[in-house]
Amino acid sequence: MTLEAIQYLRGRLHILNQLLLPHETCYEEIDTVQQGWQAIRDMKVRGAPAIAIVGCLSLVTELQQSNEEDKDAVVTFILDSLKYLVSARPTAVNIAKAAAELSALVRRETQKAESTAATIKESVITHIVSMLEKDIADNKNIGDCGARHILSRINKEKATILTHCNTGSLATAGYGTALGVIRSLHAMGRLEHVFCTETRPYNQGARLTAFELVYEKIPATLIADSMASIAMKEKGISAVVVGADRVVLNGDTANKVGTYQLAVSAKYHNIPFYVAAPCTSCDLSLENGEQIVIEERPHQELTDINGIRIAAPGIHVWNPAFDVTPHELITGGIITELGVFSPSELQDAVIRG
Ligand code: MRU
């Protein structure tokens, strides 16, 4: 059985509470927009694609329970809910793009003379439910394109990959993005080994990626973030592959904090650095990475581990959740479901679709 962060069946939504992993596997039901927002804010569900899908599915569950028959009331509820869901976490663009698409869909549907509250609800629900299948299909393409690209550029039978944060089944509807590339290499019999970083301060690598890799029986080793450079020097890393929360017009990419230093180090060690992300993570409305809003998380996520304070009392804390990797450090390419592109090729590729 594959790991599922999101279970949606016959109108009911359950999410795997990722705060309890790897020790407890506990699914929680989400049946309102407010609960969806809270689960995203608390990081019970996280990862750019999963945030968008769970947020939108929380709207589906609430719409399905509602008996509201007034068209204007339904439209207002949908548009307000989408705006609210986008506010849960600001950096990942997927939920903002999904909300914009859905809002446009609602406006188009509303203008149809024959539309009713029921037909508008139905078109929104159908669109959102299709996001699940599309995300998995996109991830499989990302995995296969990325694996083939990496293999075409190494002069070894098998690749060794270093990755950061969690970009797997837990961060998406399934298969994963950067972890999807690793999964595809493994399925092809062409993966030597994976090094996954712990990913301080919130340990998505140690808690979640390590869990997924062990679960899938993929040969892997956990390292602390501070060991990445020595791993690049000594462990025969063929490529660094990470995910993205937002890739902007010039290819600058926001991803989990710590990604930037990996890219700097990869450049120094002459190791190709790849970003793996679906087009839903590409934001062509921003010109460069300086325009990306970087979420700051509560200090406790840095000072405490599992509720136990490890940092000296009284110390100041800065806890940005993401950093921006400048496009010139993305030397391997940006792996999307449409193919692998250099940062300068990305805009045309995404527009062409
Ligand atoms: O704070 P998180 O855990 O939501 O951060 C997740 C990441 O940075 C991932 O790399 C990114 O969202 C891509 S997930 C396919």
Side-chain angles (χ1 to χ4, degrees):
M1 221 180 73
T2 55
L3 274 176
E4 277 181 319
I6 306 163
Q7 289 182 339
Y8 176 75
L9 207 58
R10 287 187 281 281
R12 293 184 69 185
L13 171 64
H14 291 87
I15 58 153
L16 182 55
N17 181 347
Q18 297 185 28
L19 297 176
L20 303 178
L21 287 174
H23 303 298
E24 263 181 71
T25 303
C26 174
Y27 283 89
E28 290 181 12
E29 183 153 14
I30 302 281
D31 56 15
T32 63
V33 167
Q34 169 59 37
Q35 287 172 4
W37 185 94
Q38 201 64 53
I40 293 167
R41 173 62 73 103
D42 293 347
M43 292 175 68
K44 287 181 177 174
V45 63
R46 23 69 47 206
I51 289 171
I53 293 167
V54 167
C56 291
L57 283 173
S58 74
L59 172 59
V60 168
T61 58
E62 195 160 341
L63 278 176
Q64 269 165 338
Q65 297 163 62
S66 143
N67 297 321
E68 181 60 68
E69 287 178 4
D70 181 72
K71 183 168 142 178
D72 290 344
V74 166
V75 168
T76 305
F77 171 71
I78 294 171
L79 297 179
D80 288 352
S81 298
L82 289 168
K83 227 182 265 163
Y84 177 57
L85 286 163
V86 171
S87 73
R89 295 189 72 193
T91 304
V93 74
N94 309 51
I95 192 161
K97 282 182 78 169
E101 267 174 38
L102 283 161
S103 303
L105 171 75
V106 167
R107 290 195 185 97
R108 278 197 310 275
E109 290 296 316
T110 313
Q111 275 160 15
K112 291 183 185 162
E114 72 281 14
S115 68
T116 63
T119 62
I120 291 169
K121 272 195 221 174
E122 202 45 52
S123 58
V124 166
I125 292 171
T126 307
H127 182 95
I128 292 175
V129 172
S130 73
M131 288 168 68
L132 271 166
E133 271 179 22
K134 182 176 180 325
D135 189 56
I136 297 177
D138 287 350
N139 292 342
K140 289 194 171 144
N141 284 332
I142 288 172
D144 292 348
C145 285
R148 281 196 300 271
H149 198 275
I150 291 168
L151 291 171
S152 71
R153 277 160 178 72
I154 59 173
N155 46 15
K156 280 201 286 188
E157 176 60 19
K158 294 186 173 189
T160 294
I161 306 295
L162 189 150
T163 191
H164 187 55
C165 196
N166 175 265
T167 59
S169 294
L170 296 170
T172 61
Y175 204 76
T177 57
L179 211 57
V181 175
I182 289 166
R183 229 180 268 278
S184 291
L185 283 167
H186 185 57
M188 292 170 184
R190 307 284 305 271
L191 178 74
E192 183 71 43
H193 205 79
V194 181
F195 287 88
C196 71
T197 59
E198 182 185 28
T199 318
R200 283 285 291 147
Y202 218 43
N203 297 313
Q204 288 94 329
R207 291 188 296 112
L208 308 176
T209 303
F211 180 68
E212 285 202 43
L213 290 166
V214 171
Y215 187 90
E216 300 282 345
K217 300 189 174 48
I218 294 175
T221 298
L222 175 67
I223 58 170
D225 301 6
S226 47
M227 298 166 192
S229 289
I230 190 172
M232 289 190 211
K233 185 164 173 241
E234 296 190 1
K235 295 294 183 188
I237 310 283
S238 322
V240 177
V241 189
V242 300
D245 287 85
R246 194 182 289 245
V247 184
V248 298
L249 197 64
N250 70 350
D252 290 355
T253 294
N255 190 48
K256 178 52 53 193
V257 70
T259 301
Y260 176 29
Q261 67 194 14
L262 292 179
V264 171
S265 189
K267 178 102 171 182
Y268 180 81
H269 291 95
N270 213 10
I271 294 172
F273 184 92
Y274 289 89
V275 168
C279 293
T280 51
S281 301
C282 298
D283 178 4
L284 303 184
S285 74
L286 298 186
E287 275 177 24
N288 60 59
E290 281 179 19
Q291 297 166 329
I292 301 174
V293 175
I294 299 293
E295 175 186 9
E296 294 206 14
R297 298 283 307 171
H299 294 176
Q300 288 81 348
E301 289 178 7
L302 180 56
T303 57
D304 298 17
I305 292 186
N306 280 347
I308 297 172
R309 180 149 182 127
I310 51 159
I315 191 71
H316 292 295
V317 171
W318 180 44
N319 187 18
F322 302 96
D323 59 27
V324 174
T325 300
H327 60 275
E328 60 270 23
L329 295 180
I330 305 171
T331 52
I334 299 170
I335 307 166
T336 72
E337 68 274 27
L338 305 173
V340 183
F341 305 102
S342 69
S344 62
E345 292 166 336
L346 183 74
Q347 177 185 5
D348 282 350
V350 172
I351 290 170
R352 264 199 324 270

